[in-house]
Amino acid sequence: MKNSVRNTTFAALIALAATSVLAAGTHAGGHSHDDAIGKPGVLAKATRTVSVDMTDDMRFNPASINVKQNETVRFVVTNSGKLKHELVLGTEKELKAHYEVMKKNPEMEHADPNMVTLAAGKTGEIVWQFTKAGKVDFACLQPGHYDAGMKGAVNVTKATRK
């Protein structure tokens, strides 16, 4: 009987610990990348590289980027500030919803192909194919950064038929 109680208690503690780890905010693979913003690109198919700088002035440089429909772009993103920043591609609605989650869980980690989170002084990249004409927003969703204006847009022009 003692072993049964001990085993049950041990199993309950393991389950509780696993739940706590999930609640702490590992945030991988939880987003669908619908065609509204495009899809993860293949580096070998990138037609150009766009450098983006993130600053502690809560700005992206450049904040407006022009691409063509179906173009695959390699974004080289640098955090030149002293704070953690990120660049997340999405619709305005998705970004606002994700930002609300980030404000409640500021230590959430990300591992999605439409984003890069960088410590001060670090550089990373996103390779993305823009499959639809229109606007794809991007923002830093670290708490306080989006509200301070750290956002921008990729303007996707309609592909011309040959």
Side-chain angles (χ1 to χ4, degrees):
M1 181 73 174
K2 275 187 178 179
N3 283 342
S4 176
V5 171
R6 186 179 318 144
N7 289 343
T8 302
T9 303
F10 182 72
L13 287 172
I14 294 294
L16 181 62
T19 303
S20 297
V21 167
L22 291 174
T26 295
H27 189 73
H31 297 286
S32 66
H33 299 292
D34 63 29
D35 207 33
I37 67 164
K39 63 184 182 179
V42 176
L43 182 58
K45 294 183 179 183
T47 56
R48 66 184 165 125
T49 298
V50 174
S51 295
V52 179
D53 186 39
M54 301 183 295
T55 71
D56 289 347
D57 291 334
M58 302 303 155
R59 296 292 179 259
F60 291 100
N61 186 17
S64 180
I65 300 163
N66 296 314
V67 303
K68 293 181 177 125
Q69 184 180 5
N70 296 317
E71 185 176 7
T72 299
V73 177
R74 175 181 173 241
F75 293 95
V76 175
V77 185
T78 301
N79 180 354
S80 63
K82 295 182 181 190
L83 303 171
K84 180 163 68 169
H85 292 294
E86 61 188 4
L87 186 148
V88 183
L89 295 166
T91 65
E92 185 176 20
K93 181 179 178 182
E94 290 169 338
L95 293 173
K96 284 181 177 179
H98 191 162
Y99 182 59
E100 291 304 315
V101 173
M102 287 293 293
K103 287 195 298 189
K104 294 174 185 164
N105 302 290
E107 296 305 314
M108 186 183 302
E109 295 293 327
H110 298 95
D112 289 336
N114 66 317
M115 60 180 62
V116 61
T117 303
L118 298 169
K122 299 296 182 183
T123 297
E125 68 180 51
I126 298 171
V127 178
W128 200 258
Q129 183 181 9
F130 295 91
T131 56
K132 282 192 177 174
K135 180 176 88 160
V136 174
D137 293 288
F138 60 90
C140 179
L141 303 180
Q142 292 297 309
H145 298 201
Y146 184 84
D147 290 334
M150 197 165 182
K151 44 191 142 185
V154 178
N155 303 300
V156 185
T157 58
K158 190 167 183 75
T160 55
R161 299 190 186 234
K162 294 180 182 178

